[in-house]
Amino acid sequence: MNEESVGIVETKYFNIEEPIKLDSGKTLNNVTVAYETYGTLDKEKSNAILICHALTGDAHAAGWHEGDRKPGWWEIVIGPGKAIDTEKYFVICSNVLGGCKGTTGPSSINPETGREYGIEFPVITIKDMVTVQKKLIDSFKIDQLYAVIGGSMGGMQVLQWMVDYPEMMKKAVPMATAAMSSPQQIAFNAVGRQSIFADPNWKDGNYYETGLKPENGLSIARMIAHITYLSDESMYIKFGRDLQDKDEISYDFTTDFQVESYLKHQGATFVKRFDANSYLYITKAVDLFDLSINKSLLDGFKGIKAKVEVISVDSDWLYPTEQSTEIVTALNANDVEVSFSEIKSNYGHDAFLLEKGQLNFILSKFLANNVVSDLMKGVVVTIKENADVKEAANLMLDKQVTHIPVVTDDYKLIGIVTSWDLSKSIAMNTNLLKDIMTTTVKYCYADESIETVARMMSEYDISSLPVVDEDMKVLGIITTDQISHLLS
């Protein structure tokens, strides 16, 4: 453990009292949600970030459980001083509905029968997962999340949040994901499910009391899925055609290649931590995911309010960049403020879990709550109302500025004079500054966000704004050049 970690953490549980109505029309009672939090919720409850996990993830996103040999699955970006800074943000991560890590799923006890649900558990969707997450967020009395962030299936949850609860977040980051599952993605999941169905120990999902699990079927499903998480390049780099524990080909059906041994290990490890029925339900939820309306993603994304950063991976062939750019295009068409980044990596789909440097850079830049005081020039040239035009012109030439706030003796803002205003003095045949200055001046405050100020400057087509305090005293000035430099 290092000082950049949130340290020892524990999983907590929230019981939802009211029934959860599902997409299918069925209801679930007595739903329990497993979750973890890191950092401190501020007094205004404005600094909360929800992290959404991928297919086989869980609530343990960061920090260490007692006795663990490794930290949470996204330790690389969550913690003090990291992109998702727990000294600044209150971070929440929950296990999804249908999971097997503490949240109600098919391995949970059905209160009506006293036995595990098995396949009596209703089919769920990504929307159902988000509905349950919303109940958890409401329990904290949080009116608006600062951000919702997730990759892969977690990215689908982010998109669902954006559509279902557009006022509930300021920012959103869907990564390595899609707005609808493609036929190829559905096909891979279908083959994985068939491998579980074919395992004689599955017993139509009623294996909990037998003492035997469908380990072979689940292991094969994981091996198939894991291939899609990697890239061809990463497999060449990691394994090539190297043999496993032998010097020559055996010419039988034992394990010859390192890549075979690796996949077997992935499968064997996975069955120790995951429930086969949960795998069935969660992959089905991914298959059903489709945010388009009448086959139109533009219609599906109407009403989104959040500022969005879409992230893809250039070597990801499971959720290729093309699917991310489709999201960006649809958001742009709906006038959503959206930016796009592509991670350069040979890791494939898994890069959103591994590329520490690029992820921290992209997320830090996007999440930064830049305000005017971070950017404004504190030493500002001003001029008094009783000055003449020549004095203003000389001041502009000397200080190389095009905008000068006009102030009273105690530096209260009463107007602004620009280089364009000076040309009016010739037409009006006046040398008095008060005759040509603009008195209906636009201004901003030091604690306003850069985004808000940039929109104001764009709306009114102005390149400079005086920054004032509550008494209208000039504190500084901010220009479009400064904002452009920040954004670049």
Side-chain angles (χ1 to χ4, degrees):
M1 194 187 317
N2 59 50
E3 60 185 19
E4 294 181 344
S5 173
V6 296
I8 300 298
V9 298
E10 62 178 20
T11 305
K12 303 171 186 176
Y13 301 90
F14 170 64
N15 297 314
I16 301 175
E17 296 180 358
E18 64 271 25
I20 300 296
K21 187 172 181 180
L22 305 173
D23 249 358
S24 64
K26 296 183 178 181
T27 59
L28 267 178
N29 296 312
N30 306 112
V31 171
T32 296
V33 184
Y35 71 96
E36 293 186 6
T37 65
Y38 324 110
T40 303
L41 186 61
D42 64 21
K43 184 173 63 176
E44 295 80 17
K45 298 188 176 183
S46 62
N47 68 330
I49 293 179
L50 175 66
I51 304 297
C52 302
H53 70 72
L55 190 73
T56 60
D58 52 35
H60 184 39
W64 300 74
H65 287 165
E66 289 282 1
D68 272 0
R69 297 176 60 184
K70 59 182 183 179
W73 57 267
W74 226 18
E75 178 82 357
I76 62 170
V77 295
I78 301 174
K82 299 174 186 176
I84 305 173
D85 192 341
T86 49
E87 293 180 337
K88 181 176 182 180
Y89 304 115
F90 178 65
V91 182
I92 306 167
C93 184
S94 66
N95 187 214
V96 296
L97 181 67
C100 54
K101 294 290 186 175
T103 296
T104 299
S107 61
S108 303
I109 299 299
N110 183 343
E112 295 181 5
T113 65
R115 298 184 298 122
E116 290 88 352
Y117 280 100
I119 59 170
E120 292 178 358
F121 194 76
V123 170
I124 55 170
T125 64
I126 300 295
K127 183 180 180 71
D128 296 330
M129 296 176 184
V130 169
T131 297
V132 169
Q133 289 169 349
K134 176 65 162 53
K135 297 288 185 184
L136 174 64
I137 299 304
D138 289 344
S139 73
F140 289 99
K141 300 189 186 313
I142 295 170
D143 294 326
Q144 187 182 52
L145 292 160
Y146 183 73
V148 184
I149 305 172
S152 193
M153 187 187 80
M156 293 179 174
Q157 295 164 58
V158 173
L159 294 170
Q160 191 75 59
W161 265 96
M162 290 160 52
V163 169
D164 287 357
Y165 306 104
E167 305 288 348
M168 267 297 295
M169 76 220 71
K170 292 181 180 178
K171 300 184 179 184
V173 187
M175 299 183 293
T177 195
M180 64 193 76
S181 288
S182 71
Q184 183 185 56
Q185 291 154 358
I186 295 170
F188 278 119
N189 286 337
V191 174
R193 289 195 295 271
Q194 287 299 321
S195 70
I196 294 173
F197 296 151
D199 191 313
N201 289 337
W202 183 60
K203 297 188 180 303
D204 293 327
N206 299 313
Y207 54 84
Y208 297 106
E209 296 176 358
T210 67
L212 298 172
K213 300 177 182 179
E215 292 184 350
N216 287 336
L218 181 59
S219 176
I220 293 169
R222 178 61 171 181
M223 291 165 68
I224 294 167
H226 201 78
I227 293 169
T228 70
Y229 303 154
L230 307 175
S231 70
D232 187 43
E233 183 181 2
S234 69
M235 294 178 85
Y236 259 108
I237 292 171
K238 194 166 187 174
F239 309 112
R241 290 182 53 84
D242 294 344
L243 301 180
Q244 179 69 29
D245 299 328
K246 58 181 67 174
D247 296 323
E248 57 185 30
I249 298 293
S250 59
Y251 294 100
D252 57 24
F253 292 103
T254 59
T255 300
D256 280 319
F257 297 101
Q258 285 185 7
V259 67
E260 295 177 88
S261 177
Y262 171 79
L263 289 174
K264 282 186 175 181
H265 171 74
Q266 289 296 324
T269 303
F270 184 65
V271 299
K272 295 176 182 178
R273 70 175 180 87
F274 213 80
D275 177 62
N277 281 338
S278 274
Y279 194 86
L280 298 176
Y281 278 89
I282 294 174
T283 56
K284 188 66 176 180
V286 170
D287 291 353
L288 295 174
F289 185 66
D290 182 358
L291 287 179
S292 67
I293 295 177
N294 299 323
K295 298 185 178 181
S296 169
L297 197 53
L298 272 65
D299 291 341
F301 281 170
K302 286 189 185 301
I304 288 176
K305 306 292 185 185
K307 179 180 179 181
V308 185
E309 169 76 27
V310 177
I311 301 175
S312 73
V313 180
D314 65 346
S315 58
D316 185 352
W317 61 279
L318 179 60
Y319 292 98
T321 292
E322 289 78 10
Q323 290 182 311
S324 289
T325 55
E326 287 174 4
I327 294 170
V328 173
T329 299
L331 291 172
N332 270 321
N334 281 292
D335 293 324
V336 176
E337 189 175 352
V338 58
S339 50
F340 171 70
S341 300
E342 184 181 58
I343 293 174
K344 308 298 181 184
S345 175
N346 58 29
Y347 284 126
H349 182 64
D350 270 352
F352 82 93
L353 297 169
L354 301 171
E355 287 287 359
K356 178 179 178 180
Q358 293 183 70
L359 282 167
N360 275 283
F361 176 78
I362 295 168
L363 291 173
S364 294
K365 181 180 176 183
F366 180 68
L367 292 175
N369 188 19
N370 293 299
V371 294
V372 171
S373 59
D374 295 331
L375 211 60
M376 71 179 189
K377 294 180 180 177
V379 180
V380 56
V381 178
T382 61
I383 196 168
K384 301 293 177 60
E385 181 184 18
N386 57 4
D388 59 35
V389 171
K390 185 177 180 180
E391 184 180 349
N394 288 333
L395 200 55
M396 285 185 184
L397 287 172
D398 183 46
K399 302 297 182 181
Q400 296 186 327
V401 295
T402 57
H403 295 69
I404 302 178
V406 183
V407 297
T408 61
D409 289 337
D410 55 354
Y411 287 92
K412 288 186 178 181
L413 181 69
I414 57 173
I416 195 165
V417 61
T418 69
S419 54
W420 186 83
D421 289 327
L422 295 183
S423 64
K424 291 194 299 185
S425 64
I426 300 173
M428 296 174 62
N429 194 28
T430 181
N431 194 40
L432 298 177
L433 191 63
K434 63 181 181 180
D435 290 341
I436 62 166
M437 73 178 191
T438 301
T439 55
T440 56
V441 58
K442 301 295 180 183
Y443 56 86
C444 62
Y445 297 103
D447 60 357
E448 286 190 76
S449 72
I450 294 299
E451 292 87 350
T452 299
V453 171
R455 283 195 295 271
M456 185 197 305
M457 296 171 91
S458 175
E459 180 181 354
Y460 292 101
D461 194 25
I462 50 181
S463 60
S464 183
L465 278 180
V467 184
V468 300
D469 64 13
E470 293 180 353
D471 296 323
M472 292 298 293
K473 289 186 177 180
V474 175
L475 302 175
I477 198 161
I478 187 166
T479 67
T480 51
D481 285 344
Q482 292 168 293
I483 295 174
S484 296
H485 178 72
L486 172 73
L487 296 178
S488 66

